[in-house]
Amino acid sequence: MARFIFITGGVVSSLGKGLSSAALGALLQSRGFTVRLRKFDPYLNVDPGTMSPYQHGEVYVTDDGAETDLDLGHYERFTGVPARRSDSTTAGRIYQTVIARERRGDYLGGTVQVIPHVTDAIREAVMADTDGADFVLVEIGGTVGDIEGLPFFEAIRQLGYELGPERTMFIHLTLVPYIPSAGEIKTKPTQHSVKELRSIGIQPDLILCRSDRPIPASDRRKIALFCNVAVEQVIPAIDVDTIYQVPIAYHEQGFDTQVLKHFNMADRREPDLARWIEIVRRVRHPEGEVSIAVVGKYTGLRDAYKSLAEALTHGGIANNVRVDMQWIDSQVFESETTAEHLENVHGILVPGGFGGRGVSGKIEAVRFARTRGVPYFGICFGMQMAVIETARNLAGLPGANSTEFGPCQDPVVGLMTEWMQGNALERRAAGDNLGGTMRLGAYDALLSPGSQVREIYGRERISERHRHRYEVNVNYRDILEGAGLRVVGVSPDGALPEIIERDDHPWFVGVQFHPELKSKPFEPHPLFASFIRAAVEQSRLV
Ligand code: GLN
C-alpha cells in the first residue's frame, strides 16, 4: 500500500520545493523503492496551459497530453518516472469536477461546500492512480497561509489523521536567512511558518531548511525546540553549485534516512548514489565549452525554458563540455544585425513559441545559421520558422507565412483542424477554446532511411511529445524539398511533417515536437547530444 509524503513550503515561494521533492524521490528510488511524484497547485486555472510563461514558467507536457507545472519536469528528470495527467491537479480542476458533479445532481440536493466536497475531491486526486508505488510524494504549491491553499492543507491534514503516521508524513520546507547586519542566521521565519502550519492542524514530521550557509547546531536545536521535532528532523538544505548535487547533499544531511525512520524502514539498504556522483563530476569538470544562442521570446525568465536549458546541459554532459547558453530576445534583430550577436556562437536554437512578436528576428537567426553553416536546431516554432525562411528566401515564395499571424499568400504553416490520435480522428475549429485544445502529448513519427535524424535516433519509429496548434503544410513538401529542406520525419499516416533537415549543411534540424521534455541527465536526448557534438565541431572551426 502506498505511503504518502506531503511536501509543503513556508516563509517565501521559490525555495525549490519541486527540486527537493524530486531529490527525495531519487533518493528513495536509489534505495530500491518505487515512487510517484505529484503536484497540487492552488490557483484557479484548470491547468497551466493557458498561463503565460512569464507568469508561471514553462508548461510541461506529459505523454498522455496534460499541460502541467514545470515541477513535473524536475520529477521526471530526477526519477525517470514518466509524469501523467493524474500527477498534476489545480484548484481549478478540482472545482470543475465538483461543479460538474453538482450540475449532474450527484449531491442529491445537498449544499455543496468547500469542506467536505472540495476537500473530498482533493483527497480522491491524492489517492488516485498511484500504481502501487511504495511512496507517493505530494507537493502542495504556494506557501502555508495562502488563502487559496487552505482546502489543500485541510485535505492532507484529514488524510494524515485517517491513514496515520505509518502511511503519511509531512515535510515542511522553509527559509533560514542570513542577516548581514547582524552577522547571523535567523530561525524566526521558520518558527512562524511552522506555527502557521500547526494552526491548521498539521505538525511537520521533518523540517527542511534552505540556507545559503551551514546552519549551526545551536540553531537547529532552536528550530527543533520551537517546532516540536527532534533535532535530527531539522535538515539543512544548503545551496549547491549544481542541481544534480542536491540528492547527494540531502543524503549527507540524513534526509532520506530520517524519512525512512519515520516509516520504521530505516534498516533498508544504503542508497546507491554512484550515478549522481558521476553526473556531478562531469558537470564540474568539463573538457571544453560551447556557446549556444537560444533565440526566443521569453528570454527574461529562465524558468520559461526550463526543460530546454536542462536538455542542453544534458547534451553537454554527453559530450563532456559545458554549454554556455546565451539567451537572446529575437526582437533585438529588428534593430541590430544578427551577426553582432551570433558571430561567435557554436550553435543556434530557436525554441517553441507563440504569436507574432519577434518572428522576423527568429527568421533572421535561421537565415544566419543556414548561410553561415552554424548548427541550427529548431524546436516546434523553431521548425516552423525554418520552413518559412526557406520558403521565402530559397523557394521563391516571398508571401510565405504561418496562418498563426493571419491570412497569407502561401500558408506553408497552417492551422490544423483534424489529425489522427492512434486510430481516432481529433477535430478542432478555428474559434475553439484555447485551453487544452492543441495537439498535445505523445505521437509517433516515422523517420526516413538514410536521413541524419534516423542515424541520430538509431531507429525508424519514435515517440515524442507535442504542444502546438499549427503544422507544416504537407502540400508544400515538394517545393520545400526542391529548395533543399527535406521532410525526413512524418506522422504514421504521412499527413503531418514532423522533422526537417538540410543535406547541404553540417547540422540543420527542425522538429515539430519538444524533445527537451524527455531528456534526462542519465539519458541525454539523442538530438541534444548530437546538436552539442555538432557545436563542438563548430567550435574547432571558429
Ligand atoms: N505557435 C506554434 C503552434 O501553435 C508553435 C507552438 C510551439 O512552439 N510549442 O503551432
Side-chain angles (χ1 to χ4, degrees):
M1 243 187 318
R3 295 165 188 84
F4 295 88
I5 301 176
F6 299 106
I7 297 117
T8 59
V11 186
V12 291
S13 57
S14 303
L15 286 181
K17 266 200 315 276
L19 258 183
S20 298
S21 307
L24 178 59
L27 285 172
L28 292 170
Q29 247 187 354
S30 71
R31 290 185 183 247
F33 296 107
T34 55
V35 294
R36 281 211 78 74
L37 285 97
R38 46 186 48 167
K39 171 117 193 239
F40 285 75
D41 276 305
Y43 50 72
L44 288 176
N45 302 65
V46 170
D47 60 42
T50 51
M51 290 162 100
S52 159
Y54 272 130
Q55 291 242 339
H56 200 68
E58 135 188 307
V59 175
Y60 188 78
V61 181
T62 58
D63 278 332
D64 60 0
E67 296 177 281
T68 74
D69 185 81
L70 58 82
D71 278 329
L72 271 78
H74 288 309
Y75 305 163
E76 193 169 323
R77 282 187 288 273
F78 270 53
T79 64
V81 178
R84 292 191 209 142
R85 184 177 293 275
S86 54
D87 295 325
S88 171
T89 306
T90 66
R93 183 169 309 283
I94 294 288
Y95 277 92
Q96 196 181 43
T97 306
V98 171
I99 290 168
R101 286 177 184 166
E102 187 275 336
R103 292 288 83 182
R104 266 203 314 269
D106 290 1
Y107 297 114
L108 303 173
T111 307
V112 182
Q113 297 184 294
V114 173
I115 305 172
H117 303 103
V118 168
T119 46
D120 279 354
I122 295 170
R123 292 171 46 157
E124 280 166 34
V126 169
M127 311 280 291
D129 196 22
T130 57
D131 260 5
D134 296 320
F135 291 98
V136 180
L137 278 59
V138 180
E139 178 188 345
I140 308 293
T143 43
V144 61
D146 296 346
I147 290 177
E148 57 188 14
L150 281 173
F152 291 87
F153 283 86
E154 169 60 14
I156 63 173
R157 181 198 67 76
Q158 292 176 9
L159 282 172
Y161 178 74
E162 281 169 32
L163 300 176
E166 314 75 50
R167 285 194 59 203
T168 56
M169 174 174 195
F170 293 91
I171 295 178
H172 193 54
L173 177 68
T174 71
L175 176 70
V176 177
Y178 175 76
I179 307 296
S181 58
E184 38 180 51
I185 60 165
K186 292 291 178 188
T187 64
K188 191 71 85 189
T190 297
Q191 296 176 36
H192 276 292
S193 180
V194 171
K195 195 168 148 197
E196 183 80 38
L197 196 59
R198 292 173 70 192
S199 77
I200 51 181
I202 297 174
Q203 164 66 49
D205 299 302
L206 192 148
I207 302 167
L208 200 54
C209 302
R210 276 301 298 273
S211 172
D212 65 355
R213 64 201 65 216
I215 303 176
S218 57
D219 288 296
R220 288 174 66 188
R221 276 199 297 276
K222 202 166 170 187
I223 293 171
L225 184 68
F226 280 102
C227 299
N228 208 26
V229 297
V231 68
E232 313 81 71
Q233 286 152 352
V234 179
I235 308 276
I238 318 290
D239 293 356
V240 287
D241 57 338
T242 152
I243 57 169
Y244 306 119
Q245 175 67 16
V246 175
I248 301 169
Y250 281 7
H251 173 67
E252 284 166 358
Q253 300 291 344
F255 188 29
D256 48 324
T257 309
Q258 287 304 320
V259 169
L260 291 174
K261 213 164 161 187
H262 171 90
F263 291 108
N264 288 323
M265 298 164 94
D267 49 348
R268 296 290 188 100
R269 69 180 168 88
E270 277 293 294
D272 178 4
L273 296 177
R275 62 180 196 159
W276 291 99
I277 292 166
E278 172 58 14
I279 288 286
V280 170
R281 189 195 63 74
R282 283 181 177 231
V283 170
R284 285 186 183 155
H285 306 289
E287 287 161 13
E289 178 171 295
V290 293
S291 180
I292 302 294
V294 181
V295 182
K297 173 159 134 185
Y298 316 108
T299 48
L301 180 73
R302 196 58 58 80
D303 271 358
Y305 298 113
K306 192 79 217 165
S307 294
L308 182 67
E310 290 297 312
L312 284 168
T313 303
H314 305 159
I317 289 172
N319 291 283
N320 277 317
V321 292
R322 197 182 91 81
V323 178
D324 169 38
M325 295 163 219
Q326 303 197 6
W327 304 91
I328 301 175
D329 183 340
S330 62
Q331 275 183 301
V332 302
F333 299 147
E334 285 163 16
S335 53
E336 297 158 42
T337 67
T338 40
E340 265 173 69
H341 293 269
L342 302 177
E343 197 74 64
N344 296 316
V345 300
H346 310 123
I348 296 172
L349 191 153
V350 175
F354 293 84
R357 182 164 66 79
V359 159
S360 59
K362 291 179 188 178
I363 294 174
E364 266 311 294
V366 178
R367 198 181 61 81
F368 183 93
R370 178 176 62 76
T371 55
R372 300 289 196 95
V374 180
Y376 177 77
F377 196 0
I379 293 182
C380 206
F381 209 45
M383 162 169 169
Q384 299 174 357
M385 295 298 114
V387 166
I388 295 169
E389 195 277 327
T390 290
R392 286 186 190 171
N393 298 335
L394 293 176
L397 302 175
N401 215 339
S402 166
T403 58
E404 181 169 356
F405 322 124
C408 61
Q409 199 178 347
D410 281 295
V412 287
V413 179
L415 181 68
M416 188 179 26
T417 50
E418 287 188 358
W419 65 92
M420 297 302 289
Q421 163 75 294
N423 292 324
L425 182 68
E426 290 263 352
R427 277 211 178 84
R428 302 279 191 271
D432 276 355
N433 280 351
L434 291 183
T437 55
M438 284 186 261
R439 180 151 84 111
L440 288 166
Y443 283 84
D444 284 359
L446 302 178
L447 310 184
S448 309
S451 63
Q452 205 180 343
V453 288
R454 173 75 199 268
E455 190 160 313
I456 292 169
Y457 274 98
R459 63 173 105 138
E460 191 197 342
R461 194 181 184 105
I462 58 165
S463 168
E464 293 280 7
R465 296 182 192 167
H466 289 247
R467 182 175 186 250
H468 55 105
R469 213 175 292 284
Y470 299 85
E471 196 84 39
V472 173
N473 188 339
V474 75
N475 299 325
Y476 285 91
R477 181 172 181 165
D478 289 345
I479 298 178
L480 292 168
E481 294 199 332
L485 198 71
R486 277 213 296 150
V487 174
V488 290
V490 289
S491 56
D493 64 1
L496 306 173
E498 294 271 14
I499 310 181
I500 50 154
E501 68 183 38
R502 295 198 74 88
D503 293 336
D504 59 356
H505 191 283
W507 208 97
F508 191 102
V509 175
V511 295
Q512 189 55 75
F513 44 82
H514 288 277
E516 71 274 24
L517 301 176
K518 286 177 62 166
S519 187
K520 301 181 185 67
F522 308 110
E523 242 179 282
H525 192 286
L527 286 174
F528 281 90
S530 175
F531 176 55
I532 297 300
R533 191 168 317 123
V536 172
E537 294 293 317
Q538 180 73 11
S539 71
R540 300 203 172 111
L541 301 177
V542 295

